[in-house]
Amino acid sequence: MQVDGQRFLADLHKLRSFGASGVGKGVVRPAYSEADMEARTWLKGRMEEAGLRVETDAMGNLFGLAEGPSLLLGSHSDSQPEGGWLDGALGVIAALEVARCADMPISVISFQDEEGRFGVTTGSAVWSGQLDLEAADLLLDHNGVALAEARRVVNPTGEVDPAQFTGFIEMHIEQGPVLDTTGERVGVVSDIVGIRDMKITFEGQQNHAGTTPMHLRRDAFQAVSEFNHALAERFKNVVTPATVWTIGHLSLHPNASSIVPGKAVFSMQWRDGDADRLVRMEQIIRALAQEIAQARGMEVSFGPMLGLEPVHMDARLRRALETSAESLASGAWRVMPSGALHDATNVSRLMPVAMLFVPSIGGISHAFEEDTDEEHLVLGLEVLAGAVAALHG
Ligand code: GLV
Ligand code: MN
Ligand code: MN
């Protein structure tokens, strides 16, 4: 199969123009934003030009469908609130290029809200049955907008039956430092870590920042600060060097310099490849938050917990990627786990899945600076195409 690296790069740069941040190659294209919906309209046209039949489901997942049973390729085209040009986009545009060139049926997907404006990989979670649409509709973004309201901008054409797909391969940037550090050019994913994510709220007493003595304060931010510090200590005997946890969003009420904050809501997210460890971490998180609230005479509450279990990649699809990687990047590729989450996790409930990585310069992603050498982007596309051809042959 002869893919066209220049056409693929041109499409990738065109997709970047939707929501271009003006800072480096960054994009601001969160799920259901104007830029996201415009990008999807453009993608729909590209899918149709490739001879695919386009369907958009109720969530806004965009499918370009081949006739009959087909292999599904793709990823997502929404971005983080401050995102890079390749996270998700690479897998979608690589899929499009392979679908244009393959002499076997290839379908293309751009999932909606992989970046979790409303949760965690929301579009593929709903499509795979991991999450009910009715339950998903109640999820709120950080501004209090419900998914049900946000997805009104979607014009659904119909639901897509997963039974028509024989498997799913997602190409993606690594988003971490491994390949860039070792100088290897391709990664074949062995498994994807699991994740838990929930909101925690501390409520104390809003008060005057000048007159309230320190020992009488019930300051919600001080509770978060103590929690964050103590958590690392409590985790010490439970986590491994591969375990990660993040407080990435914090909102203080009323968020003013001269007011002791009465309320703090923050995101608590943790990830690991071992499902049991995720459970033990949850127990520690809940117990510690309750302990701190009690000691400070405050209330604590926990939002709905979203989670995905760790998953293994399919042996047959993975072998096809490994063989293709060895033939195109002999000795310069590795098998590796994914510390980032992907739609492939949800899709693995429905069919065999596998993933392919290319390096991220400096290991940076979820930031405007995210980038990959174009030579590596094209090599990844060729490895994908080689694997697809071998699976068919
Ligand atoms: C997906 O973007 C993730 O947060 O891993
Ligand atoms: Mn992604
Ligand atoms: Mn991402």
Side-chain angles (χ1 to χ4, degrees):
M1 185 192 320
Q2 194 58 49
V3 288
D4 183 338
Q6 288 313 311
R7 178 171 59 183
F8 155 75
L9 290 173
D11 274 352
L12 208 41
H13 282 286
K14 175 69 186 175
L15 180 50
R16 177 167 74 80
S17 72
F18 298 96
S21 69
V23 182
K25 293 181 184 165
V27 296
V28 177
R29 206 166 55 226
Y32 308 111
S33 63
E34 215 174 298
D36 174 42
M37 298 312 287
E38 281 172 9
R40 284 171 193 276
T41 301
W42 171 77
L43 268 173
K44 175 174 179 286
R46 290 307 253 169
M47 287 172 170
E48 284 166 348
E49 284 164 24
L52 303 170
R53 183 171 61 81
V54 175
E55 291 278 13
T56 302
D57 70 10
M59 271 295 295
N61 295 316
L62 177 68
F63 290 84
L65 299 169
E67 277 302 310
S70 61
L71 182 65
L72 182 65
L73 306 179
S75 188
H76 61 96
S77 55
D78 62 302
S79 84
Q80 288 285 334
E82 289 195 4
W85 70 300
L86 298 170
D87 180 357
L90 174 60
V92 175
I93 299 299
L96 185 63
E97 180 57 23
V98 173
R100 282 192 288 233
C101 302
D103 54 10
M104 72 282 288
I106 299 296
S107 294
V108 177
I109 174 68
S110 171
F111 284 111
Q112 185 51 288
D113 197 28
E114 191 276 347
E115 299 291 10
R117 176 179 165 194
F118 294 98
V120 176
T121 60
T122 326
S124 57
V126 171
W127 184 60
S128 69
Q130 159 84 14
L131 180 65
D132 286 342
L133 185 56
E134 296 70 35
D137 267 346
L138 303 176
L139 295 171
L140 304 177
D141 71 5
H142 287 307
N143 294 317
V145 177
L147 171 61
E149 190 183 329
R151 71 179 177 86
R152 283 203 194 117
V153 295
V154 175
N155 287 315
T157 58
E159 295 304 307
V160 172
D161 182 0
Q164 68 197 285
F165 304 119
T166 55
F168 175 59
I169 305 182
E170 181 170 4
M171 177 179 167
H172 208 281
I173 49 167
E174 181 204 328
Q175 308 185 274
V178 176
L179 297 174
D180 193 49
T181 306
T182 61
E184 289 156 321
R185 297 148 76 201
V186 171
V188 176
V189 175
S190 54
D191 30 41
I192 304 174
V193 297
I195 188 171
R196 297 289 185 274
D197 196 302
M198 70 176 167
K199 283 187 182 139
I200 302 180
T201 302
F202 282 117
E203 284 187 81
Q205 176 62 55
Q206 182 177 326
N207 212 335
H208 194 291
T211 58
T212 316
M214 297 310 284
H215 71 282
L216 290 181
R217 291 183 182 202
R218 292 192 293 134
D219 179 330
F221 175 70
Q222 293 304 327
V224 178
S225 172
E226 184 186 347
F227 172 82
N228 177 54
H229 186 74
L231 193 59
E233 272 302 309
R234 299 282 172 101
F235 275 167
K236 249 186 189 157
N237 296 324
V238 172
V239 298
T240 75
T243 313
V244 293
W245 63 95
T246 307
I247 296 176
H249 187 271
L250 166 67
S251 100
L252 296 179
H253 185 84
N255 209 20
S257 308
S258 293
I259 302 179
V260 175
K263 181 172 170 178
V265 184
F266 63 100
S267 59
M268 181 72 233
Q269 186 190 91
W270 61 107
R271 308 188 191 205
D272 195 86
D274 179 339
D276 291 340
R277 186 171 293 110
L278 291 171
V279 172
R280 268 179 283 149
M281 292 173 77
E282 179 189 352
Q283 291 160 349
I284 291 169
I285 287 164
R286 289 183 189 271
L288 177 63
Q290 268 151 355
E291 193 181 307
I292 288 172
Q294 198 170 19
R296 291 175 173 268
M298 294 171 48
E299 298 295 322
V300 64
S301 56
F302 303 94
M305 196 175 66
L306 302 168
L308 294 174
E309 299 306 315
V311 294
H312 296 300
M313 299 298 98
D314 175 74
R316 177 171 155 270
L317 295 183
R318 183 178 143 184
R319 208 169 321 112
L321 290 169
E322 289 174 7
T323 306
S324 184
E326 181 54 26
S327 99
L328 293 166
S330 183
W333 63 279
R334 71 162 55 206
V335 172
M336 60 188 298
S338 172
L341 215 61
H342 298 288
D343 292 306
T345 293
N346 294 314
V347 180
S348 74
R349 295 167 60 91
L350 305 170
M351 64 192 82
V353 303
M355 285 198 74
L356 174 66
F357 282 168
V358 290
S360 291
I361 296 172
I364 296 175
S365 186
H366 285 187
F368 291 150
E369 296 95 318
E370 172 191 286
D371 207 358
T372 297
D373 282 342
E374 293 199 347
E375 184 199 323
H376 290 157
L377 296 175
V378 174
L379 175 64
L381 169 71
E382 289 168 350
V383 170
L384 176 67
V388 168
L391 283 165
H392 189 67

